Amino acid sequence: MGNVSQQHPYPWPAASSTGVGSWPGEDPDEAVRTVLGELPDLPHLPELPGRGAGADMIGRTGGLLVDLPIEVQPTGWRVVDSPGRDLARAGSFLSYDLDALTEHAHAYEGPLKIQVAGPWTMAASVELRNGQRLVSDPGAERDLAESHLEGVLSHIADVRVRVPGATPIVQIDEPSLPAVLIGSLPTASGYGVLPAVDRVRVETVLRTLFSAIDEAGAVPVAHCCAPSVPIDLLRRSGARALGLDAHLLERSHDEAIGTAVEAGTGLMLGVVPSVDGAGMSDPATNVDPVRELWNRLGVAPDLLSRAVVTTPTCGLAGASPRYARTALKAVRDGARVLRDEPRK
C-alpha cells in the first residue's frame, strides 16, 4: 500500500485543507479574500446562498444548464419554456463571484475547487411542468444530464480563462443521490414515493460526466455527506476523490473506502462542525475519526496526509462569519496533525 501515492499523484499538496462550498454573508469579494487567505493550498470558489433564490445550490447550477430554463415556483425550481428573472439573477450572482475570483486569484497557481450540484440531485430537486420531480421522467432526465454536462464544461472553461494558473477541481455535489438510488423521494402529492432509479443508469450518467471533466483537464470529485453514501458506485464512476463526512463513516464503510484508497482515490473528509455551537475540539481530537479509520484500514501512515484533505462536515452558510473563519483554521490545523502525527 505504501507506494500508492507514487502511482497516483493526488491533485493537491500534502496536508491540504479546503471548504465544502457555501459561506455566510452576501459579499463575494470578502468571501473570496477570506478563503484564499485561510486555505492557501486548496482554495475554493465560495457560494453565498444567503443572497436568495439563484444563489442556492439548485438555482446556481440551474443557471449553467444549456437550453433547459428553470424558474422558482412556491414548491421550488421548475422547468419553464423560456428563461426569466430567476435565471438572470442566478447568472448575475455567479458572475459577481467569478469577478471576485478573477480580481483576487488571477495570479494563483495550483488546485482550485469549484462546486456544482450533480445531475441526480438536480433531477431530484427540479420539477417538471406538471409538478412531478424531473427524475420521474427518463426522457427529461436524459435531457437534463446532457444539458448539465455541457453547462459544467462551459463553467470549467470560464474559470480557466479567469485563473489561468489553476487546475480546476470540480466537486459534484450529490446530496440526493442516496434517495434516488433507494427510491425514497416523495411524489408531488407527498403520499407516495418515486421508484428507485436503476443503479447502472445512475453510474452511466456520472461516469460520462466525470470522464468529460477529466478530458477537459480538470479533476472530478464527488461529494455526498449523507449517511448512506454509495462509495463504490462513485469510485467506479471515475471520481478522483470522494467528499464524505468523517463522523458518519462506520466500520461497514471500511471495505469500500479501503478499495478506493488502494485505487488512488483521494478523500475529502469533513472533520469540523459546520455550525456554531456544535462544539469545536482541539485539532488532534477533530481528526481522530480519520486516524482511527486509517488504523483500521491498515494503510501506511505516511500516505494519510497525501490522500486526505480535511474539510468542515458541510457547507458553512449556516455559520456566523466569525465561526466560519475559525472552522477553516481548524481544518488547516487538523491537516497538519494528520501530517505530523498520523497515528493516534
Side-chain angles (χ1 to χ4, degrees):
M1 283 294 290
N3 64 355
V4 172
S5 58
Q6 280 73 46
Q7 297 165 353
H8 306 269
Y10 295 96
W12 48 69
S16 287
S17 50
T18 194
V20 171
S22 68
W23 189 255
E26 300 182 19
D27 181 352
D29 212 57
E30 188 190 355
V32 168
R33 270 205 318 268
T34 304
V35 165
L36 286 166
E38 297 288 341
L39 302 168
D41 292 327
L42 181 47
H44 64 96
L45 177 63
E47 301 167 4
L48 305 170
R51 294 175 292 187
D56 58 298
M57 179 201 266
I58 303 303
R60 188 178 179 82
T61 302
L64 299 174
L65 297 176
V66 176
D67 298 331
L68 190 66
I70 61 176
E71 72 177 23
V72 179
Q73 296 285 337
T75 47
W77 288 89
R78 182 174 288 188
V79 174
V80 287
D81 292 327
S82 53
R85 253 199 338 246
D86 299 325
L87 276 190
R89 273 173 57 107
S92 297
F93 287 142
L94 184 57
S95 245
Y96 299 145
D97 297 349
L98 289 169
D99 288 348
L101 184 72
T102 311
E103 186 176 335
H104 300 291
H106 60 92
Y108 170 80
E109 294 184 353
L112 170 69
K113 186 164 74 71
I114 56 178
Q115 306 82 216
V116 293
W120 293 107
T121 292
M122 290 299 289
S125 308
V126 173
E127 297 172 354
L128 295 162
R129 291 177 186 78
N130 64 7
Q132 203 56 275
R133 293 169 198 267
L134 199 148
V135 72
S136 65
D137 178 329
E141 177 269 304
R142 271 194 296 277
D143 292 345
L144 171 77
E146 285 173 23
S147 165
H148 178 273
L149 174 64
E150 205 177 322
V152 169
L153 293 179
S154 164
H155 185 37
I156 294 170
D158 193 2
V159 170
R160 273 193 184 293
V161 170
R162 290 163 176 273
V163 192
T167 300
I169 292 185
V170 185
Q171 175 180 303
I172 300 297
D173 287 318
E174 283 286 19
S176 303
L177 185 59
V180 167
L181 286 166
I182 62 175
S184 63
L185 289 168
T187 54
S189 67
Y191 293 120
V193 290
L194 296 174
V197 177
D198 178 60
R199 291 182 85 86
V200 175
R201 172 68 191 151
V202 170
E203 199 174 314
T204 303
V205 168
L206 290 174
R207 183 178 290 120
T208 305
L209 173 63
F210 294 156
S211 139
I213 291 171
D214 222 8
E215 282 166 25
V219 179
V221 172
H223 175 253
C224 178
C225 49
S228 47
V229 52
I231 294 168
D232 278 330
L233 183 148
L234 292 172
R235 172 186 56 76
R236 284 196 311 268
S237 303
R240 294 263 307 280
L242 303 176
L244 311 165
D245 180 343
H247 299 280
L248 295 177
L249 296 177
E250 297 175 349
R251 285 175 184 268
S252 58
H253 294 111
D254 285 2
E255 193 178 335
I257 292 173
T259 304
V261 171
E262 214 155 319
T265 307
L267 299 172
M268 293 185 172
L269 296 180
V271 295
V272 170
S274 55
V275 288
D276 310 53
M280 178 85 72
S281 306
D282 65 278
T285 308
N286 284 333
V287 294
D288 272 350
V290 180
R291 297 195 291 183
E292 284 161 12
L293 169 71
W294 224 245
N295 288 342
R296 292 201 306 271
L297 296 179
V299 184
D302 62 334
L303 187 63
L304 180 49
S305 71
R306 293 282 303 116
V308 173
V309 171
T310 49
T311 73
T313 52
C314 209
L316 293 165
S320 66
R322 184 177 169 184
Y323 178 84
R325 277 198 194 84
T326 306
L328 294 192
K329 180 181 184 306
V331 295
R332 220 170 55 229
D333 293 344
R336 290 200 190 106
V337 171
L338 294 184
R339 182 190 60 204
D340 301 339
E341 308 162 40
R343 292 190 189 282
K344 239 180 107 175

